[in-house]
Amino acid sequence: MCPDHPERRQGPAPGQADADRHWLAAAIELSKDCPPTDSAFCVGAILVSAIGEEIARGYSRQADARDHAEEIALARAAGLAAELSGATLYTSLEPCLRRGSRPVSCAELILRTGVRRVVYAWREPPIFQPGGGAAWLAGHGVAVIEVADLATAARAVNRPLLERRSDPSP
């Protein structure tokens, strides 16, 4: 915990594989707090400063059924007037490029805030939207890192949703 902000956690500085895995595992763990639904993934997101201080976190449907994890974390950081240009956003699922519930995607929100590094575990499967947020962000100069070996853990949180979506029975 950071002494000036006891609600914030201190951890390894982003940029090294071990640090990225640490924060990404924490985001996946956070995704377990999401209220389950049949219409959206359970996602956790954590914004971390360049020196390893947690800036903000959020999970899907945290305050509203339409909330995305990245959206919550970014909004909380904005409320703190946090400088995000050196921050890394860790998210259990690739940031969305399109969404039906709100007009602005998480990828667009990330770009608008100045975050220039995103680390995620699981590429968005084309169940609700086609995905593509990682490629779009990369095309706009954001460093995007996929830690694919943590995708299994992120998928496991969503197993009930995935099983219901693949079940052919009504």
Side-chain angles (χ1 to χ4, degrees):
M1 300 267 217
C2 177
D4 295 335
H5 302 281
E7 71 282 1
R8 294 188 192 177
R9 293 158 183 84
Q10 183 71 36
Q16 299 299 314
D18 288 347
D20 287 346
R21 293 179 67 77
H22 166 85
W23 288 111
L24 191 51
I28 293 167
E29 188 64 28
L30 181 61
S31 73
K32 295 176 182 177
D33 291 341
C34 297
T37 179
D38 286 339
S39 59
F41 295 108
C42 292
V43 180
I46 302 175
L47 270 166
V48 180
S49 75
I51 61 167
E53 180 181 85
E54 181 177 315
I55 298 168
R57 61 176 42 209
Y59 58 85
S60 301
R61 297 173 298 288
Q62 189 164 351
D64 180 281
R66 298 174 298 162
D67 289 342
H68 283 199
E70 302 91 337
E71 177 181 34
I72 292 291
L74 292 167
R76 286 183 168 174
L80 298 169
E83 170 56 44
L84 300 181
S85 62
T88 296
L89 176 67
Y90 293 93
T91 179
S92 58
L93 181 69
E94 173 187 21
C96 68
L97 181 57
R98 292 176 188 84
R99 62 190 289 187
S101 60
R102 295 217 169 108
V104 181
S105 72
C106 291
E108 292 171 281
L109 291 172
I110 291 164
L111 192 63
R112 289 179 185 179
T113 64
V115 170
R116 292 295 173 254
R117 188 168 186 272
V118 174
V119 179
Y120 73 96
W122 183 27
R123 192 171 300 241
E124 183 178 10
I127 293 174
F128 304 111
Q129 295 291 334
W136 186 86
L137 284 166
H140 285 83
V142 176
V144 180
I145 296 96
E146 179 180 6
V147 183
D149 64 310
L150 290 179
T152 300
R155 262 193 312 275
V157 176
N158 289 278
R159 183 169 289 122
L161 168 69
L162 295 170
E163 288 172 353
R164 286 191 301 273
R165 297 296 297 188
S166 65
D167 184 0
S169 63

